[in-house]
């Protein structure tokens, strides 16, 4: 053990010297400390299963970083990010067939205007990637630019989901989890795109997760390729002034506006995972409840993402990483105290 620590100290000293000689700025001028202890995030178990990561984020105008000077949000850029081939899990022929299967018990979707229909599901020919935003990657990026240009000054443009997939099941079963989960969006006529990401060379081998982007306004497309919300017409008022209006645009779906919508999606995702875990003969189950509701005495940790995770791995501490480490340490102390507390109570 001491020899290992000596090696880490030598690495820290050498990188410190290199950092002092370099002309780097910001985080590149910082020196990694390989002797700093790390605390990996744990997965506490409840009486119904294990916890899992599920993040739901909304992107609105006025508070997001834009992709280019001509755009107001990063919606189109994020679409390209989740579809990048280097991250997506390759699809087998059997998985593509499964993804193309329509849902048998489709509920009635919100009525769309005449001459507009909810698009059929498109399957990527190479990766576990599918949805209803368009056939090509360029068309799907253009969809978000179109949404952005037709939404209000402070309106929501894009909704993003990142969900942890079970690594114990097969690639085809992960495709089925993603497909069944996205039925919640299809039955509400919400345009979406979903991509399964596989672990990279530097990631944890269990790091399978699902990315979903969706528009919370029911939308249909015409045979000519026009989306209903993008059709603009003009009319004359009594004052003879011309005003523009969108006759075919639908209201935001009421479910997506409710405070319980993210929790509802989380439960649907857990149900899909648990079904295919059961079919695969795996005893593991996902518990969609919060730590508080499931009786787990742990503070929720923050999702670091690619950049912060890379910095933490390299030995550069971050503020979210520090907060997560403190929460993990407090949780481990509580777990270590439980047997002694129980023993003390039994002696009363």
């Amino acid at each position: 053990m001491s020899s290992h620590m000596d090696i880490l100290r030598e690495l820290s000293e050498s990188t410190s010297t290199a950092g002092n000689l370099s002309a780097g700025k910001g985080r590149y001028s910082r020196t990694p400390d390989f002797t700093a202890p790390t605390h990996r995030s744990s997965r506490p178990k409840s009486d119904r299963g294990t916890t899992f990561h599920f993040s739901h984020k909304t992107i609105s105008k006025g508070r997001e970083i834009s992709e280019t000077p001509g755009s107001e949000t990063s919606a189109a850029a994020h679409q390209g990010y989740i579809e990048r081939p280097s991250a997506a899990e390759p699809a087998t022929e059997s998985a593509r067939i499964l993804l193309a299967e329509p849902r048998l018990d489709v509920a009635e979707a919100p009525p769309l205007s005449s001459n507009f229909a909810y698009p059929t599901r498109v399957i990527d020919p190479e990766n576990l990637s599918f949805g209803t935003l368009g056939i090509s990657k360029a068309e799907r990026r253009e969809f978000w630019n179109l949404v952005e240009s037709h939404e209000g000054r402070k309106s929501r443009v894009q909704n993003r989901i990142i969900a942890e997939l079970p690594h114990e099941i097969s690639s085809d079963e992960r495709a089925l989890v993603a497909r069944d989960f996205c039925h919640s969006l299809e039955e509400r006529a919400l345009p979406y795109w979903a991509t399964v990401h596989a672990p990279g060379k530097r990631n944890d081998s269990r790091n399978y997760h699902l990315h979903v982007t969706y528009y919370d306004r029911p939308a249909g497309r015409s045979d000519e390729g026009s989306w209903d919300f993008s059709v603009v017409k003009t009319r004359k008022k009594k004052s003879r002034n011309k005003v523009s209006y969108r006759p075919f645009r639908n209201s935001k779906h009421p479910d997506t506006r409710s405070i319980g919508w993210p929790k509802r999606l989380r439960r649907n995702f857990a149900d899909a995972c648990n079904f295919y875990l059961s079919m695969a003969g795996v005893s593991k189950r996902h518990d969609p409840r919060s730590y508080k509701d499931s009786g787990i005495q742990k503070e929720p940790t923050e999702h670091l993402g690619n950049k912060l995770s890379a910095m933490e791995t390299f030995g550069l501490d971050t503020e979210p990483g520090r907060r997560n480490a403190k929460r993990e340490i407090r949780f481990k102390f509580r777990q270590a105290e439980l047997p002694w507390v129980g023993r003390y109570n039994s002696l009363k």
Side-chain angles (χ1 to χ4, degrees):
M1 181 66 181
S2 59
S3 61
H4 292 167
M5 290 301 297
D6 292 338
I7 294 173
L8 292 176
R9 289 192 185 95
E10 290 177 5
L11 283 172
S12 295
E13 290 173 2
S14 61
T15 51
S16 176
T17 304
N20 294 333
L21 295 174
S22 67
K25 296 181 180 180
R27 65 184 178 190
Y28 298 105
S29 64
R30 294 181 59 192
T31 301
D33 182 7
F34 295 105
T35 63
T38 58
H39 300 274
R40 297 185 62 181
S41 178
S42 58
R43 285 286 185 267
K45 293 185 178 180
S46 68
D47 56 340
R48 298 185 189 176
T50 185
T51 58
F52 62 97
H53 177 71
F54 185 96
S55 169
H56 185 281
K57 181 181 179 181
T58 60
I59 303 302
S60 304
K61 289 185 180 181
R63 63 179 183 88
E64 298 297 332
I65 300 174
S66 60
E67 178 190 11
T68 64
S71 64
E72 296 183 56
T73 70
S74 58
H78 186 73
Q79 183 64 38
Y81 167 79
I82 69 171
E83 289 192 67
R84 65 192 194 281
S86 60
E89 182 173 7
T92 61
E93 182 62 30
S94 57
R96 286 192 288 270
I97 294 174
L98 292 170
L99 289 176
E101 290 180 356
R103 186 173 181 179
L104 299 178
D105 56 339
V106 177
E108 289 189 9
L112 300 174
S113 303
S114 57
N115 301 324
F116 293 94
Y118 186 65
T120 56
R121 195 185 305 150
V122 175
I123 314 298
D124 188 286
E126 297 179 357
N127 301 313
L128 290 182
S129 193
F130 61 96
T132 59
L133 299 185
I135 297 175
S136 65
K137 291 183 179 180
E139 193 174 336
R140 294 190 283 272
R141 287 172 63 95
E142 181 57 30
F143 169 83
W144 293 115
N145 290 328
L146 196 65
V147 169
E148 183 180 286
S149 63
H150 286 83
E151 282 293 336
R153 189 165 55 94
K154 297 290 184 181
S155 299
R156 282 189 310 226
V157 173
Q158 187 183 66
N159 297 264
R160 300 174 183 174
I161 295 173
I162 306 176
E164 176 187 338
L165 286 164
H167 67 276
E168 296 89 349
I169 58 179
S170 66
S171 177
D172 288 5
E173 289 164 337
R174 282 191 289 272
L176 287 171
V177 170
R179 185 200 67 180
D180 290 2
F181 171 68
C182 290
H183 286 159
S184 301
L185 306 176
E186 291 180 353
E187 65 185 6
R188 292 169 175 82
L190 303 178
Y192 74 94
W193 193 264
T195 303
V196 175
H197 281 193
K201 294 181 180 179
R202 299 181 181 180
N203 297 130
D204 191 312
S205 59
R206 302 166 296 179
N207 189 25
Y208 291 95
H209 54 279
L210 173 67
H211 283 269
V212 180
T213 57
Y214 73 93
Y215 186 32
D216 52 8
R217 189 185 298 279
R221 207 170 186 184
S222 66
D223 294 337
E224 292 77 24
S226 299
W227 289 92
D228 54 7
F229 61 84
S230 67
V231 178
V232 180
K233 294 188 176 183
T234 58
R235 68 184 178 202
K236 283 186 178 181
K237 299 176 69 175
K238 293 182 179 180
S239 60
R240 295 187 178 181
N241 293 326
K242 289 185 178 181
V243 294
S244 300
Y245 70 103
R246 297 174 176 82
F248 307 119
R249 188 173 71 172
N250 300 286
S251 301
K252 296 287 183 85
H253 198 285
D255 287 349
T256 65
R257 303 179 69 176
S258 66
I259 193 171
W261 173 242
K263 286 186 177 181
R264 187 173 183 176
L265 290 175
R266 183 181 172 91
R267 287 195 301 270
N268 292 346
F269 181 77
D271 290 343
C273 289
N274 291 338
F275 176 79
Y276 289 105
L277 283 168
S278 175
M279 294 294 290
V282 180
S283 60
K284 176 183 176 181
R285 295 293 181 271
H286 279 186
D287 186 353
R289 297 176 300 170
S290 64
Y291 287 156
K292 182 179 179 181
D293 293 339
S294 56
I296 297 174
Q297 295 182 347
K298 182 184 178 183
E299 303 162 82
T301 54
E302 302 174 45
H303 183 62
L304 296 180
N306 290 337
K307 293 181 180 179
L308 295 184
S309 295
M311 292 175 67
E312 290 281 339
T313 303
F314 188 60
L316 299 177
D317 58 327
T318 63
E319 285 301 322
R322 289 179 184 177
R323 290 193 291 268
N324 286 348
K326 291 178 181 178
R327 292 168 185 174
E328 284 293 333
I329 291 171
R330 284 195 288 265
F331 174 67
K332 289 175 182 177
F333 270 117
R334 292 191 192 101
Q335 293 298 105
E337 290 171 353
L338 284 178
W340 299 99
V341 172
R343 186 177 178 182
Y344 173 77
N345 292 333
S346 66
L347 296 176
K348 286 184 178 180

